[in-house]
PDB file of all heavy atoms in Angstrom:
ATOM      1  N   ALA A 613       1.659   6.690  12.076  1.00  0.00           N
ATOM      2  CA  ALA A 613       1.304   8.030  11.989  1.00  0.00           C
ATOM      3  C   ALA A 613       2.389   8.976  12.321  1.00  0.00           C
ATOM      4  O   ALA A 613       2.551  10.153  11.774  1.00  0.00           O
ATOM      5  CB  ALA A 613       0.048   8.307  12.639  1.00  0.00           C
ATOM      6  N   ARG A 614       3.167   8.628  13.415  1.00  0.00           N
ATOM      7  CA  ARG A 614       4.202   9.577  13.863  1.00  0.00           C
ATOM      8  C   ARG A 614       5.371   9.812  12.945  1.00  0.00           C
ATOM      9  O   ARG A 614       6.131  10.607  13.057  1.00  0.00           O
ATOM     10  CB  ARG A 614       4.661   9.143  15.249  1.00  0.00           C
ATOM     11  CG  ARG A 614       3.642   9.111  16.395  1.00  0.00           C
ATOM     12  CD  ARG A 614       4.169   8.840  17.724  1.00  0.00           C
ATOM     13  NE  ARG A 614       3.195   8.752  18.691  1.00  0.00           N
ATOM     14  CZ  ARG A 614       2.892   9.917  19.430  1.00  0.00           C
ATOM     15  NH1 ARG A 614       3.425  11.047  19.049  1.00  0.00           N
ATOM     16  NH2 ARG A 614       1.983   9.696  20.338  1.00  0.00           N
ATOM     17  N   GLN A 615       5.471   8.829  11.882  1.00  0.00           N
ATOM     18  CA  GLN A 615       6.568   8.962  11.007  1.00  0.00           C
ATOM     19  C   GLN A 615       6.352  10.195  10.074  1.00  0.00           C
ATOM     20  O   GLN A 615       7.335  10.618   9.424  1.00  0.00           O
ATOM     21  CB  GLN A 615       6.530   7.698  10.080  1.00  0.00           C
ATOM     22  CG  GLN A 615       6.710   6.473  10.773  1.00  0.00           C
ATOM     23  CD  GLN A 615       7.852   6.414  11.795  1.00  0.00           C
ATOM     24  OE1 GLN A 615       8.978   6.744  11.409  1.00  0.00           O
ATOM     25  NE2 GLN A 615       7.631   6.018  13.033  1.00  0.00           N
ATOM     26  N   ILE A 616       5.194  10.738  10.075  1.00  0.00           N
ATOM     27  CA  ILE A 616       4.983  11.940   9.241  1.00  0.00           C
ATOM     28  C   ILE A 616       5.825  13.078   9.889  1.00  0.00           C
ATOM     29  O   ILE A 616       6.422  13.806   9.058  1.00  0.00           O
ATOM     30  CB  ILE A 616       3.448  12.276   9.254  1.00  0.00           C
ATOM     31  CG1 ILE A 616       2.593  11.256   8.498  1.00  0.00           C
ATOM     32  CG2 ILE A 616       3.229  13.732   8.460  1.00  0.00           C
ATOM     33  CD1 ILE A 616       1.152  11.491   8.550  1.00  0.00           C
ATOM     34  N   ASP A 617       5.734  13.161  11.179  1.00  0.00           N
ATOM     35  CA  ASP A 617       6.668  14.280  11.840  1.00  0.00           C
ATOM     36  C   ASP A 617       8.047  13.916  11.616  1.00  0.00           C
ATOM     37  O   ASP A 617       8.938  14.835  11.566  1.00  0.00           O
ATOM     38  CB  ASP A 617       6.238  14.412  13.251  1.00  0.00           C
ATOM     39  CG  ASP A 617       4.758  14.985  13.468  1.00  0.00           C
ATOM     40  OD1 ASP A 617       4.362  15.808  12.574  1.00  0.00           O
ATOM     41  OD2 ASP A 617       4.224  14.552  14.424  1.00  0.00           O
ATOM     42  N   ARG A 618       8.463  12.648  11.653  1.00  0.00           N
ATOM     43  CA  ARG A 618       9.748  12.292  11.638  1.00  0.00           C
ATOM     44  C   ARG A 618      10.424  12.385  10.214  1.00  0.00           C
ATOM     45  O   ARG A 618      11.579  12.879  10.144  1.00  0.00           O
ATOM     46  CB  ARG A 618       9.931  10.751  12.007  1.00  0.00           C
ATOM     47  CG  ARG A 618      11.434  10.347  12.199  1.00  0.00           C
ATOM     48  CD  ARG A 618      11.436   8.933  12.866  1.00  0.00           C
ATOM     49  NE  ARG A 618      12.761   8.470  12.988  1.00  0.00           N
ATOM     50  CZ  ARG A 618      13.021   7.265  13.416  1.00  0.00           C
ATOM     51  NH1 ARG A 618      12.131   6.432  13.728  1.00  0.00           N
ATOM     52  NH2 ARG A 618      14.324   6.829  13.510  1.00  0.00           N
ATOM     53  N   TYR A 619       9.721  12.005   9.103  1.00  0.00           N
ATOM     54  CA  TYR A 619      10.330  11.863   7.843  1.00  0.00           C
ATOM     55  C   TYR A 619       9.712  12.982   6.958  1.00  0.00           C
ATOM     56  O   TYR A 619      10.223  13.094   5.720  1.00  0.00           O
ATOM     57  CB  TYR A 619      10.222  10.508   7.220  1.00  0.00           C
ATOM     58  CG  TYR A 619      10.911   9.401   7.994  1.00  0.00           C
ATOM     59  CD1 TYR A 619      10.282   8.494   8.757  1.00  0.00           C
ATOM     60  CD2 TYR A 619      12.316   9.361   7.833  1.00  0.00           C
ATOM     61  CE1 TYR A 619      10.926   7.536   9.386  1.00  0.00           C
ATOM     62  CE2 TYR A 619      13.090   8.330   8.480  1.00  0.00           C
ATOM     63  CZ  TYR A 619      12.422   7.451   9.294  1.00  0.00           C
ATOM     64  OH  TYR A 619      13.097   6.553  10.023  1.00  0.00           O
ATOM     65  N   GLY A 620       8.502  13.520   7.294  1.00  0.00           N
ATOM     66  CA  GLY A 620       8.035  14.508   6.401  1.00  0.00           C
ATOM     67  C   GLY A 620       6.841  13.791   5.569  1.00  0.00           C
ATOM     68  O   GLY A 620       6.942  12.723   5.287  1.00  0.00           O
ATOM     69  N   GLY A 621       5.925  14.636   5.270  1.00  0.00           N
ATOM     70  CA  GLY A 621       4.572  14.114   4.478  1.00  0.00           C
ATOM     71  C   GLY A 621       4.964  13.576   3.182  1.00  0.00           C
ATOM     72  O   GLY A 621       4.257  12.567   2.780  1.00  0.00           O
ATOM     73  N   LEU A 622       5.849  14.150   2.523  1.00  0.00           N
ATOM     74  CA  LEU A 622       6.133  13.703   1.090  1.00  0.00           C
ATOM     75  C   LEU A 622       6.803  12.275   1.021  1.00  0.00           C
ATOM     76  O   LEU A 622       6.245  11.516   0.254  1.00  0.00           O
ATOM     77  CB  LEU A 622       6.996  14.641   0.394  1.00  0.00           C
ATOM     78  CG  LEU A 622       6.350  15.941   0.076  1.00  0.00           C
ATOM     79  CD1 LEU A 622       7.355  16.973  -0.499  1.00  0.00           C
ATOM     80  CD2 LEU A 622       5.234  16.000  -0.864  1.00  0.00           C
ATOM     81  N   VAL A 623       7.623  11.970   1.921  1.00  0.00           N
ATOM     82  CA  VAL A 623       8.255  10.625   1.975  1.00  0.00           C
ATOM     83  C   VAL A 623       7.214   9.645   2.352  1.00  0.00           C
ATOM     84  O   VAL A 623       7.107   8.533   1.712  1.00  0.00           O
ATOM     85  CB  VAL A 623       9.499  10.741   2.960  1.00  0.00           C
ATOM     86  CG1 VAL A 623       9.948   9.230   3.178  1.00  0.00           C
ATOM     87  CG2 VAL A 623      10.558  11.652   2.455  1.00  0.00           C
ATOM     88  N   VAL A 624       6.400   9.917   3.468  1.00  0.00           N
ATOM     89  CA  VAL A 624       5.438   8.945   3.930  1.00  0.00           C
ATOM     90  C   VAL A 624       4.449   8.781   2.757  1.00  0.00           C
ATOM     91  O   VAL A 624       3.985   7.521   2.581  1.00  0.00           O
ATOM     92  CB  VAL A 624       4.716   9.579   5.144  1.00  0.00           C
ATOM     93  CG1 VAL A 624       3.448   8.576   5.503  1.00  0.00           C
ATOM     94  CG2 VAL A 624       5.721   9.557   6.290  1.00  0.00           C
ATOM     95  N   ALA A 625       3.913   9.907   2.047  1.00  0.00           N
ATOM     96  CA  ALA A 625       3.010   9.605   1.046  1.00  0.00           C
ATOM     97  C   ALA A 625       3.547   8.831  -0.200  1.00  0.00           C
ATOM     98  O   ALA A 625       2.763   7.915  -0.803  1.00  0.00           O
ATOM     99  CB  ALA A 625       2.510  10.971   0.448  1.00  0.00           C
ATOM    100  N   LEU A 626       4.814   9.006  -0.453  1.00  0.00           N
ATOM    101  CA  LEU A 626       5.383   8.303  -1.578  1.00  0.00           C
ATOM    102  C   LEU A 626       5.536   6.670  -1.262  1.00  0.00           C
ATOM    103  O   LEU A 626       4.933   5.874  -2.129  1.00  0.00           O
ATOM    104  CB  LEU A 626       6.904   8.732  -1.757  1.00  0.00           C
ATOM    105  CG  LEU A 626       7.720   8.015  -2.857  1.00  0.00           C
ATOM    106  CD1 LEU A 626       7.065   8.259  -4.210  1.00  0.00           C
ATOM    107  CD2 LEU A 626       9.108   8.424  -2.777  1.00  0.00           C
ATOM    108  N   VAL A 627       5.898   6.334  -0.132  1.00  0.00           N
ATOM    109  CA  VAL A 627       5.830   4.952   0.352  1.00  0.00           C
ATOM    110  C   VAL A 627       4.459   4.422   0.255  1.00  0.00           C
ATOM    111  O   VAL A 627       4.136   3.277  -0.156  1.00  0.00           O
ATOM    112  CB  VAL A 627       6.501   4.684   1.620  1.00  0.00           C
ATOM    113  CG1 VAL A 627       6.441   3.332   2.126  1.00  0.00           C
ATOM    114  CG2 VAL A 627       7.905   5.151   1.590  1.00  0.00           C
ATOM    115  N   SER A 628       3.504   5.191   0.876  1.00  0.00           N
ATOM    116  CA  SER A 628       2.114   4.758   1.009  1.00  0.00           C
ATOM    117  C   SER A 628       1.474   4.487  -0.328  1.00  0.00           C
ATOM    118  O   SER A 628       0.887   3.451  -0.585  1.00  0.00           O
ATOM    119  CB  SER A 628       1.247   5.777   1.728  1.00  0.00           C
ATOM    120  OG  SER A 628       1.794   6.087   3.049  1.00  0.00           O
ATOM    121  N   LEU A 629       1.749   5.305  -1.344  1.00  0.00           N
ATOM    122  CA  LEU A 629       1.153   5.081  -2.646  1.00  0.00           C
ATOM    123  C   LEU A 629       1.743   3.888  -3.363  1.00  0.00           C
ATOM    124  O   LEU A 629       1.055   3.257  -4.092  1.00  0.00           O
ATOM    125  CB  LEU A 629       1.452   6.407  -3.571  1.00  0.00           C
ATOM    126  CG  LEU A 629       0.568   7.556  -3.231  1.00  0.00           C
ATOM    127  CD1 LEU A 629       1.110   8.805  -3.743  1.00  0.00           C
ATOM    128  CD2 LEU A 629      -0.858   7.352  -3.549  1.00  0.00           C
ATOM    129  N   LEU A 630       2.944   3.662  -3.110  1.00  0.00           N
ATOM    130  CA  LEU A 630       3.625   2.354  -3.712  1.00  0.00           C
ATOM    131  C   LEU A 630       3.038   1.144  -3.148  1.00  0.00           C
ATOM    132  O   LEU A 630       2.745   0.138  -3.930  1.00  0.00           O
ATOM    133  CB  LEU A 630       5.033   2.368  -3.370  1.00  0.00           C
ATOM    134  CG  LEU A 630       5.934   3.400  -4.264  1.00  0.00           C
ATOM    135  CD1 LEU A 630       7.416   3.446  -3.789  1.00  0.00           C
ATOM    136  CD2 LEU A 630       5.869   3.042  -5.712  1.00  0.00           C
ATOM    137  N   VAL A 631       2.585   1.153  -1.820  1.00  0.00           N
ATOM    138  CA  VAL A 631       2.030  -0.061  -1.191  1.00  0.00           C
ATOM    139  C   VAL A 631       0.602  -0.092  -1.775  1.00  0.00           C
ATOM    140  O   VAL A 631       0.149  -1.313  -1.954  1.00  0.00           O
ATOM    141  CB  VAL A 631       2.011   0.122   0.323  1.00  0.00           C
ATOM    142  CG1 VAL A 631       1.198  -0.994   0.970  1.00  0.00           C
ATOM    143  CG2 VAL A 631       3.372   0.127   0.962  1.00  0.00           C
ATOM    144  N   GLU A 632      -0.137   0.960  -1.884  1.00  0.00           N
ATOM    145  CA  GLU A 632      -1.524   0.977  -2.373  1.00  0.00           C
ATOM    146  C   GLU A 632      -1.555   0.410  -3.856  1.00  0.00           C
ATOM    147  O   GLU A 632      -2.348  -0.397  -4.194  1.00  0.00           O
ATOM    148  CB  GLU A 632      -2.095   2.317  -2.354  1.00  0.00           C
ATOM    149  CG  GLU A 632      -3.485   2.467  -2.790  1.00  0.00           C
ATOM    150  CD  GLU A 632      -4.124   3.735  -2.814  1.00  0.00           C
ATOM    151  OE1 GLU A 632      -3.420   4.696  -2.441  1.00  0.00           O
ATOM    152  OE2 GLU A 632      -5.303   3.942  -3.093  1.00  0.00           O
ATOM    153  N   THR A 633      -0.491   0.789  -4.634  1.00  0.00           N
ATOM    154  CA  THR A 633      -0.422   0.241  -6.022  1.00  0.00           C
ATOM    155  C   THR A 633      -0.212  -1.217  -5.986  1.00  0.00           C
ATOM    156  O   THR A 633      -0.812  -1.920  -6.779  1.00  0.00           O
ATOM    157  CB  THR A 633       0.787   0.873  -6.798  1.00  0.00           C
ATOM    158  OG1 THR A 633       0.577   2.336  -6.729  1.00  0.00           O
ATOM    159  CG2 THR A 633       0.823   0.368  -8.183  1.00  0.00           C
ATOM    160  N   LEU A 634       0.635  -1.828  -4.985  1.00  0.00           N
ATOM    161  CA  LEU A 634       0.805  -3.249  -4.885  1.00  0.00           C
ATOM    162  C   LEU A 634      -0.492  -3.870  -4.554  1.00  0.00           C
ATOM    163  O   LEU A 634      -0.756  -4.962  -5.135  1.00  0.00           O
ATOM    164  CB  LEU A 634       1.883  -3.435  -3.855  1.00  0.00           C
ATOM    165  CG  LEU A 634       2.149  -4.920  -3.524  1.00  0.00           C
ATOM    166  CD1 LEU A 634       2.636  -5.686  -4.743  1.00  0.00           C
ATOM    167  CD2 LEU A 634       3.130  -4.968  -2.330  1.00  0.00           C
ATOM    168  N   GLY A 635      -1.248  -3.280  -3.718  1.00  0.00           N
ATOM    169  CA  GLY A 635      -2.587  -3.991  -3.317  1.00  0.00           C
ATOM    170  C   GLY A 635      -3.498  -3.993  -4.586  1.00  0.00           C
ATOM    171  O   GLY A 635      -4.128  -5.161  -4.665  1.00  0.00           O
ATOM    172  N   LEU A 636      -3.561  -3.023  -5.354  1.00  0.00           N
ATOM    173  CA  LEU A 636      -4.376  -3.053  -6.505  1.00  0.00           C
ATOM    174  C   LEU A 636      -4.008  -4.045  -7.550  1.00  0.00           C
ATOM    175  O   LEU A 636      -4.705  -4.683  -8.140  1.00  0.00           O
ATOM    176  CB  LEU A 636      -4.441  -1.588  -7.170  1.00  0.00           C
ATOM    177  CG  LEU A 636      -5.268  -0.614  -6.256  1.00  0.00           C
ATOM    178  CD1 LEU A 636      -4.971   0.838  -6.726  1.00  0.00           C
ATOM    179  CD2 LEU A 636      -6.690  -0.870  -6.250  1.00  0.00           C
ATOM    180  N   LEU A 637      -2.743  -4.280  -7.667  1.00  0.00           N
ATOM    181  CA  LEU A 637      -2.118  -5.188  -8.579  1.00  0.00           C
ATOM    182  C   LEU A 637      -2.331  -6.572  -8.185  1.00  0.00           C
ATOM    183  O   LEU A 637      -2.559  -7.529  -8.950  1.00  0.00           O
ATOM    184  CB  LEU A 637      -0.534  -5.007  -8.842  1.00  0.00           C
ATOM    185  CG  LEU A 637      -0.315  -3.655  -9.586  1.00  0.00           C
ATOM    186  CD1 LEU A 637       1.300  -3.462  -9.674  1.00  0.00           C
ATOM    187  CD2 LEU A 637      -0.804  -3.558 -10.937  1.00  0.00           C
ATOM    188  N   VAL A 638      -2.363  -6.829  -6.724  1.00  0.00           N
ATOM    189  CA  VAL A 638      -2.656  -8.121  -6.235  1.00  0.00           C
ATOM    190  C   VAL A 638      -4.154  -8.473  -6.567  1.00  0.00           C
ATOM    191  O   VAL A 638      -4.474  -9.537  -7.003  1.00  0.00           O
ATOM    192  CB  VAL A 638      -2.435  -8.147  -4.700  1.00  0.00           C
ATOM    193  CG1 VAL A 638      -3.060  -9.435  -4.116  1.00  0.00           C
ATOM    194  CG2 VAL A 638      -0.961  -8.120  -4.455  1.00  0.00           C
ATOM    195  N   LEU A 639      -5.027  -7.527  -6.527  1.00  0.00           N
ATOM    196  CA  LEU A 639      -6.418  -7.656  -6.780  1.00  0.00           C
ATOM    197  C   LEU A 639      -6.503  -8.018  -8.282  1.00  0.00           C
ATOM    198  O   LEU A 639      -7.485  -8.836  -8.782  1.00  0.00           O
ATOM    199  CB  LEU A 639      -7.289  -6.435  -6.397  1.00  0.00           C
ATOM    200  CG  LEU A 639      -7.614  -6.267  -4.971  1.00  0.00           C
ATOM    201  CD1 LEU A 639      -8.100  -4.850  -4.713  1.00  0.00           C
ATOM    202  CD2 LEU A 639      -8.695  -7.266  -4.727  1.00  0.00           C
ATOM    203  N   TRP A 640      -5.792  -7.350  -9.119  1.00  0.00           N
ATOM    204  CA  TRP A 640      -5.696  -7.549 -10.493  1.00  0.00           C
ATOM    205  C   TRP A 640      -5.499  -9.037 -10.951  1.00  0.00           C
ATOM    206  O   TRP A 640      -6.175  -9.736 -11.718  1.00  0.00           O
ATOM    207  CB  TRP A 640      -4.909  -6.644 -11.282  1.00  0.00           C
ATOM    208  CG  TRP A 640      -4.534  -6.984 -12.800  1.00  0.00           C
ATOM    209  CD1 TRP A 640      -5.492  -7.245 -13.653  1.00  0.00           C
ATOM    210  CD2 TRP A 640      -3.188  -7.021 -13.366  1.00  0.00           C
ATOM    211  NE1 TRP A 640      -4.926  -7.502 -14.863  1.00  0.00           N
ATOM    212  CE2 TRP A 640      -3.459  -7.307 -14.694  1.00  0.00           C
ATOM    213  CE3 TRP A 640      -1.958  -6.808 -12.935  1.00  0.00           C
ATOM    214  CZ2 TRP A 640      -2.483  -7.407 -15.604  1.00  0.00           C
ATOM    215  CZ3 TRP A 640      -0.848  -6.891 -13.756  1.00  0.00           C
ATOM    216  CH2 TRP A 640      -1.124  -7.266 -15.131  1.00  0.00           C
ATOM    217  N   ARG A 641      -4.581  -9.658 -10.236  1.00  0.00           N
ATOM    218  CA  ARG A 641      -4.020 -11.027 -10.636  1.00  0.00           C
ATOM    219  C   ARG A 641      -4.677 -12.091  -9.667  1.00  0.00           C
ATOM    220  O   ARG A 641      -4.464 -13.350  -9.884  1.00  0.00           O
ATOM    221  CB  ARG A 641      -2.540 -11.047 -10.386  1.00  0.00           C
ATOM    222  CG  ARG A 641      -1.734 -10.102 -11.258  1.00  0.00           C
ATOM    223  CD  ARG A 641      -2.036 -10.276 -12.689  1.00  0.00           C
ATOM    224  NE  ARG A 641      -1.766 -11.588 -13.273  1.00  0.00           N
ATOM    225  CZ  ARG A 641      -2.176 -12.050 -14.312  1.00  0.00           C
ATOM    226  NH1 ARG A 641      -2.818 -11.298 -15.186  1.00  0.00           N
ATOM    227  NH2 ARG A 641      -1.846 -13.298 -14.721  1.00  0.00           N
ATOM    228  N   CYS A 642      -5.442 -11.639  -8.750  1.00  0.00           N
ATOM    229  CA  CYS A 642      -5.888 -12.796  -7.791  1.00  0.00           C
ATOM    230  C   CYS A 642      -7.039 -13.599  -8.399  1.00  0.00           C
ATOM    231  O   CYS A 642      -7.844 -13.230  -9.253  1.00  0.00           O
ATOM    232  CB  CYS A 642      -6.506 -12.071  -6.479  1.00  0.00           C
ATOM    233  SG  CYS A 642      -8.046 -11.326  -6.737  1.00  0.00           S
ATOM    234  N   THR A 643      -7.072 -14.987  -7.926  1.00  0.00           N
ATOM    235  CA  THR A 643      -8.072 -15.793  -8.384  1.00  0.00           C
ATOM    236  C   THR A 643      -8.791 -16.601  -7.190  1.00  0.00           C
ATOM    237  O   THR A 643      -9.484 -17.502  -7.451  1.00  0.00           O
ATOM    238  CB  THR A 643      -7.386 -16.985  -9.219  1.00  0.00           C
ATOM    239  OG1 THR A 643      -6.318 -17.599  -8.479  1.00  0.00           O
ATOM    240  CG2 THR A 643      -6.776 -16.381 -10.493  1.00  0.00           C
ATOM    241  N   THR A 644      -8.544 -16.043  -5.984  1.00  0.00           N
ATOM    242  CA  THR A 644      -9.121 -16.695  -4.897  1.00  0.00           C
ATOM    243  C   THR A 644      -9.642 -15.615  -3.891  1.00  0.00           C
ATOM    244  O   THR A 644      -9.213 -14.439  -4.002  1.00  0.00           O
ATOM    245  CB  THR A 644      -8.063 -17.550  -4.004  1.00  0.00           C
ATOM    246  OG1 THR A 644      -7.121 -16.743  -3.473  1.00  0.00           O
ATOM    247  CG2 THR A 644      -7.544 -18.657  -4.972  1.00  0.00           C
ATOM    248  N   VAL A 645     -10.615 -15.948  -3.035  1.00  0.00           N
ATOM    249  CA  VAL A 645     -11.121 -15.046  -1.952  1.00  0.00           C
ATOM    250  C   VAL A 645      -9.871 -14.480  -1.158  1.00  0.00           C
ATOM    251  O   VAL A 645      -9.906 -13.398  -0.845  1.00  0.00           O
ATOM    252  CB  VAL A 645     -12.109 -15.803  -1.098  1.00  0.00           C
ATOM    253  CG1 VAL A 645     -12.583 -14.822   0.078  1.00  0.00           C
ATOM    254  CG2 VAL A 645     -13.345 -16.112  -1.998  1.00  0.00           C
ATOM    255  N   ALA A 646      -9.046 -15.407  -0.828  1.00  0.00           N
ATOM    256  CA  ALA A 646      -7.942 -14.964   0.049  1.00  0.00           C
ATOM    257  C   ALA A 646      -7.013 -14.035  -0.592  1.00  0.00           C
ATOM    258  O   ALA A 646      -6.609 -13.006  -0.008  1.00  0.00           O
ATOM    259  CB  ALA A 646      -7.066 -16.292   0.485  1.00  0.00           C
ATOM    260  N   GLY A 647      -6.759 -14.178  -1.883  1.00  0.00           N
ATOM    261  CA  GLY A 647      -6.009 -13.240  -2.622  1.00  0.00           C
ATOM    262  C   GLY A 647      -6.706 -11.894  -2.777  1.00  0.00           C
ATOM    263  O   GLY A 647      -6.044 -10.749  -2.596  1.00  0.00           O
ATOM    264  N   ALA A 648      -8.001 -11.820  -2.942  1.00  0.00           N
ATOM    265  CA  ALA A 648      -8.754 -10.661  -2.962  1.00  0.00           C
ATOM    266  C   ALA A 648      -8.637  -9.827  -1.646  1.00  0.00           C
ATOM    267  O   ALA A 648      -8.589  -8.565  -1.528  1.00  0.00           O
ATOM    268  CB  ALA A 648     -10.178 -10.887  -3.438  1.00  0.00           C
ATOM    269  N   ALA A 649      -8.880 -10.635  -0.577  1.00  0.00           N
ATOM    270  CA  ALA A 649      -8.763 -10.017   0.815  1.00  0.00           C
ATOM    271  C   ALA A 649      -7.434  -9.425   1.090  1.00  0.00           C
ATOM    272  O   ALA A 649      -7.277  -8.380   1.662  1.00  0.00           O
ATOM    273  CB  ALA A 649      -9.129 -11.103   1.821  1.00  0.00           C
ATOM    274  N   LEU A 650      -6.352 -10.161   0.592  1.00  0.00           N
ATOM    275  CA  LEU A 650      -4.962  -9.559   0.728  1.00  0.00           C
ATOM    276  C   LEU A 650      -4.798  -8.348  -0.061  1.00  0.00           C
ATOM    277  O   LEU A 650      -4.320  -7.259   0.527  1.00  0.00           O
ATOM    278  CB  LEU A 650      -3.955 -10.687   0.308  1.00  0.00           C
ATOM    279  CG  LEU A 650      -2.532 -10.177   0.233  1.00  0.00           C
ATOM    280  CD1 LEU A 650      -2.006  -9.732   1.668  1.00  0.00           C
ATOM    281  CD2 LEU A 650      -1.650 -11.299  -0.404  1.00  0.00           C
ATOM    282  N   GLY A 651      -5.280  -8.308  -1.251  1.00  0.00           N
ATOM    283  CA  GLY A 651      -5.204  -7.021  -2.081  1.00  0.00           C
ATOM    284  C   GLY A 651      -5.900  -5.945  -1.490  1.00  0.00           C
ATOM    285  O   GLY A 651      -5.423  -4.800  -1.361  1.00  0.00           O
ATOM    286  N   ALA A 652      -7.219  -6.171  -0.889  1.00  0.00           N
ATOM    287  CA  ALA A 652      -7.921  -5.112  -0.258  1.00  0.00           C
ATOM    288  C   ALA A 652      -7.199  -4.594   1.017  1.00  0.00           C
ATOM    289  O   ALA A 652      -7.114  -3.345   1.248  1.00  0.00           O
ATOM    290  CB  ALA A 652      -9.303  -5.621   0.111  1.00  0.00           C
ATOM    291  N   ALA A 653      -6.561  -5.553   1.729  1.00  0.00           N
ATOM    292  CA  ALA A 653      -5.859  -5.122   3.010  1.00  0.00           C
ATOM    293  C   ALA A 653      -4.683  -4.259   2.573  1.00  0.00           C
ATOM    294  O   ALA A 653      -4.360  -3.231   3.230  1.00  0.00           O
ATOM    295  CB  ALA A 653      -5.392  -6.369   3.759  1.00  0.00           C
ATOM    296  N   LEU A 654      -3.832  -4.695   1.538  1.00  0.00           N
ATOM    297  CA  LEU A 654      -2.767  -3.838   1.174  1.00  0.00           C
ATOM    298  C   LEU A 654      -3.098  -2.533   0.573  1.00  0.00           C
ATOM    299  O   LEU A 654      -2.463  -1.468   0.847  1.00  0.00           O
ATOM    300  CB  LEU A 654      -1.946  -4.602   0.099  1.00  0.00           C
ATOM    301  CG  LEU A 654      -1.156  -5.817   0.504  1.00  0.00           C
ATOM    302  CD1 LEU A 654      -0.568  -6.559  -0.644  1.00  0.00           C
ATOM    303  CD2 LEU A 654       0.065  -5.375   1.348  1.00  0.00           C
ATOM    304  N   THR A 655      -4.283  -2.445  -0.140  1.00  0.00           N
ATOM    305  CA  THR A 655      -4.760  -1.138  -0.581  1.00  0.00           C
ATOM    306  C   THR A 655      -5.156  -0.262   0.659  1.00  0.00           C
ATOM    307  O   THR A 655      -4.758   0.899   0.554  1.00  0.00           O
ATOM    308  CB  THR A 655      -6.021  -1.374  -1.547  1.00  0.00           C
ATOM    309  OG1 THR A 655      -5.593  -2.247  -2.479  1.00  0.00           O
ATOM    310  CG2 THR A 655      -6.486  -0.063  -2.072  1.00  0.00           C
ATOM    311  N   GLY A 656      -5.741  -0.750   1.623  1.00  0.00           N
ATOM    312  CA  GLY A 656      -6.121  -0.014   2.773  1.00  0.00           C
ATOM    313  C   GLY A 656      -4.850   0.476   3.508  1.00  0.00           C
ATOM    314  O   GLY A 656      -4.786   1.656   3.961  1.00  0.00           O
ATOM    315  N   ALA A 657      -3.820  -0.399   3.635  1.00  0.00           N
ATOM    316  CA  ALA A 657      -2.512  -0.006   4.343  1.00  0.00           C
ATOM    317  C   ALA A 657      -1.918   1.134   3.578  1.00  0.00           C
ATOM    318  O   ALA A 657      -1.368   1.993   4.166  1.00  0.00           O
ATOM    319  CB  ALA A 657      -1.679  -1.236   4.429  1.00  0.00           C
TER     320      ALA A 657
END
């Protein structure tokens, strides 16, 4: 959270949205409970 003050809100939001996109794509391709849990965790992160 402190990285917002350090790097600015726009930079932090950009990286965050890319990680969220990755999580949703993992959910798209997952075939196991573990894969779905990983996708959900990445989306939350």
Side-chain angles (χ1 to χ4, degrees):
R614 293 185 183 275
Q615 304 308 311
I616 297 173
D617 294 329
R618 184 175 181 182
Y619 294 106
L622 292 175
V623 172
V624 172
L626 179 63
V627 175
S628 298
L629 288 165
L630 289 172
V631 173
E632 185 177 0
T633 302
L634 176 62
L636 291 166
L637 293 177
V638 169
L639 282 164
W640 169 46
R641 300 305 299 169
C642 75
T643 56
T644 64
V645 174
L650 174 62
L654 283 171
T655 304

